[in-house]
Amino acid sequence: MARNVYFSFHYQRDIFRVQTVRNAWVCYPSNRHAGYFDHGLWEEAKTKGAAVIRKMIDEGMQQTGVTVVLIGAETASRQWVDYEIRRSIELGKGLVGIRINNIDSMGRGIDYAGVNPFNAYGPYSGNSLRTAYEVPIYDWVHDQGYRNFGAWVEAAAVRAGR
């Protein structure tokens, strides 16, 4: 089944790695029917104030059932990634994390693995918003994201009851 996907990520540091994931179907024809559409927000968000960014994120998530958090070295520390995770939980969306630090970024090599951005929402976090299940995290390179992305998204939707 086709799923509408919202991508959450740290733009400045990870955009080249993110593009690898978002454009996988272009490079690997076997994934053309992976069944995902993205509604991620791009550069426009950088130039807007906080209220406008929240509105853009909320509108971007409207037609989606799953939020894919693309985890790089500094993703967990990003204010808007935290907001996107929080909103996804509030709206009952499926969640999945994909580590992108092992993707070569424009010939500059790989990066270090960042902190799990879902830790703030675990059972011992003290946060009033908790995920109903543990969010799985995959590694794009080591877990063969080109082959498995569609299945990861589908599993996240099913876990969320979508």
Side-chain angles (χ1 to χ4, degrees):
M1 168 183 275
R3 299 289 181 178
N4 290 333
V5 172
Y6 181 89
F7 285 100
S8 176
F9 55 91
H10 177 195
Y11 184 89
Q12 292 87 352
R13 185 173 183 118
D14 294 324
I15 190 59
F16 294 114
R17 290 180 177 92
V18 167
Q19 287 176 336
T20 296
V21 175
R22 289 172 56 126
N23 296 323
W25 67 274
V26 173
C27 300
Y28 291 85
S30 64
N31 281 333
R32 284 181 195 234
H33 303 291
Y36 64 91
F37 308 97
D38 69 83
H39 293 276
L41 302 173
W42 288 79
E43 273 186 74
E44 183 181 355
K46 294 190 312 186
T47 63
K48 307 293 182 180
V52 174
I53 293 172
R54 276 191 291 279
K55 183 177 186 236
M56 289 174 61
I57 290 169
D58 291 346
E59 288 173 357
M61 287 186 170
Q62 280 182 357
Q63 302 301 316
T64 66
V66 174
T67 297
V68 175
V69 180
L70 299 175
I71 306 167
E74 298 176 358
T75 305
S77 67
R78 307 309 294 175
Q79 169 189 356
W80 296 114
V81 170
D82 183 66
Y83 178 77
E84 290 161 336
I85 292 170
R86 177 180 292 276
R87 286 298 291 151
S88 296
I89 293 169
E90 290 171 345
L91 298 170
K93 299 199 180 288
L95 280 165
V96 63
I98 300 175
R99 291 198 177 276
I100 58 173
N101 59 289
N102 286 314
I103 298 172
D104 184 7
S105 180
M106 301 293 288
R108 292 180 291 209
I110 62 173
D111 208 350
Y112 64 92
V115 175
N116 178 346
F118 302 110
N119 283 346
Y121 301 96
Y124 306 107
S125 67
N127 194 320
S128 61
L129 277 176
R130 294 191 180 128
T131 56
Y133 53 86
E134 187 173 325
V135 178
I137 296 178
Y138 303 97
D139 183 288
W140 182 259
V141 173
H142 298 300
D143 295 324
Q144 300 180 348
Y146 291 115
R147 290 188 178 149
N148 297 313
F149 182 77
W152 299 340
V153 168
E154 182 62 24
V158 169
R159 277 191 308 277
R162 293 184 162 262

